[in-house]
Amino acid sequence: ETGVTQTPRHLVMGMTNKKSLKCEQHLGHNAMYWYKQSAKKPLELMFVYSLEERVENNSVPSRFSPECPNSSHLFLHLHTLQPEDSALYLCASSQGAGRTYEQYFGPGTRLTVT
Amino acid sequence: AQSVTQLDSHVSVSEGTPVLLRCNYSSSYSPSLFWYVQHPNKGLQLLLKYTSAATLVKGINGFEAEFKKSETSFHLTKPSAHMSDAAEYFCALILTTDSWGKLQFGAGTQVVVTP
């Protein structure tokens, strides 16, 4: 595997389920990001991790819980979601966390909440 | 507050003709600016970026963009469209004062290329 991979690619879950999204980067990067892409809103940053420490939480509801166990892996734990949480969730990584570093994106997980 | 506005939600061009995608920004400080492309069922790919060096930036696949501070614009151009350019394009910024690479995106421009 190369670049940034995300699993699963598609997920359908009920409002009472608990599921997790996984992201893995094979680029030796030190920063990782979660973004949300909804149909009616611009791409928005959710979380930033730098050297496995969460450095940005962009006012995301607590039903989304990120985890970064090491610099190569990033998870997004989901519980009691709402239908409006249906979206494409994109993971990205960069060599460092900052404006000069290019972010490399994964293909995303398409989440549908029923 | 800072923001990015993409002036066209859809652009249709004929193959071989020029492409212009318009992006204006609002920011108290000169930001870093980016153009990304997203093909169907794919993640975002960086086309080019401006980070306070040369105002005319060349990117991949023949794209280029010019940073115009007086017009607060960062429009993306390509001299000759190819069928493979059909995709969604996003303009984004990161504030100079930002420490963590917080990309802020415009709403996107869908590009259709006709034969």
Side-chain angles (χ1 to χ4, degrees):
Chain A
E1 293 278 13
T2 59
V4 181
T5 58
Q6 292 187 242
T7 54
R9 293 294 308 276
H10 300 271
L11 178 63
V12 179
M13 60 185 289
M15 293 168 61
T16 58
N17 292 159
K18 290 184 180 181
K19 296 286 184 183
S20 296
L21 310 185
K22 179 183 176 182
C23 174
E24 184 172 2
Q25 59 94 1
H26 309 267
L27 301 167
H29 289 168
N30 293 315
M32 297 188 78
Y33 309 77
W34 279 116
Y35 289 87
K36 177 182 179 182
Q37 186 176 25
S38 344
K40 298 183 179 179
K41 294 176 68 176
L43 268 154
E44 52 185 334
L45 178 71
M46 300 175 74
F47 302 103
V48 181
Y49 276 82
S50 176
L51 297 172
E52 299 141 49
E53 177 185 352
R54 190 191 315 176
V55 295
E56 182 79 33
N57 177 344
N58 201 27
S59 304
V60 179
S62 60
R63 57 186 184 269
F64 295 91
S65 176
E67 178 190 4
C68 187
N70 55 62
S71 59
S72 298
H73 294 86
L74 184 64
F75 294 90
L76 189 62
H77 304 300
L78 316 170
H79 63 98
T80 58
L81 294 191
Q82 305 298 311
E84 61 264 29
D85 297 321
S86 298
L88 182 69
Y89 289 84
L90 292 164
C91 173
S93 71
S94 60
Q95 188 175 1
R99 69 186 187 99
T100 60
Y101 296 102
E102 177 180 346
Q103 293 180 31
Y104 292 78
F105 284 79
T109 294
R110 175 71 62 187
L111 174 67
T112 303
V113 181
T114 60
Chain B
Q2 59 284 343
S3 65
V4 177
T5 303
Q6 292 183 241
L7 299 171
D8 307 292
S9 58
H10 290 83
V11 167
S12 183
V13 297
S14 299
E15 190 177 19
T17 64
V19 181
L20 169 65
L21 305 183
R22 298 181 294 165
C23 174
N24 285 354
Y25 69 91
S26 170
S27 173
S28 301
Y29 305 95
S30 288
S32 296
L33 291 159
F34 305 80
W35 275 101
Y36 282 86
V37 62
Q38 186 178 31
H39 289 92
N41 300 314
K42 301 280 189 180
L44 277 68
Q45 181 184 20
L46 181 68
L47 287 175
L48 48 80
K49 64 180 180 181
Y50 166 78
T51 55
S52 76
T55 56
L56 182 62
V57 181
K58 294 188 183 299
I60 61 171
N61 300 335
F63 286 95
E64 65 179 40
E66 186 171 7
F67 173 71
K68 292 186 177 180
K69 186 174 182 178
S70 61
E71 298 176 12
T72 61
S73 69
F74 190 57
H75 300 335
L76 181 72
T77 60
K78 182 173 180 177
S80 176
H82 192 272
M83 295 299 291
S84 60
D85 295 327
E88 190 156 22
Y89 292 78
F90 294 93
C91 183
L93 67 78
I94 299 177
L95 294 179
T96 305
T97 52
D98 183 88
S99 301
W100 305 116
K102 183 177 176 178
L103 277 165
Q104 299 180 51
F105 286 89
T109 299
Q110 187 70 47
V111 172
V112 174
V113 182
T114 56

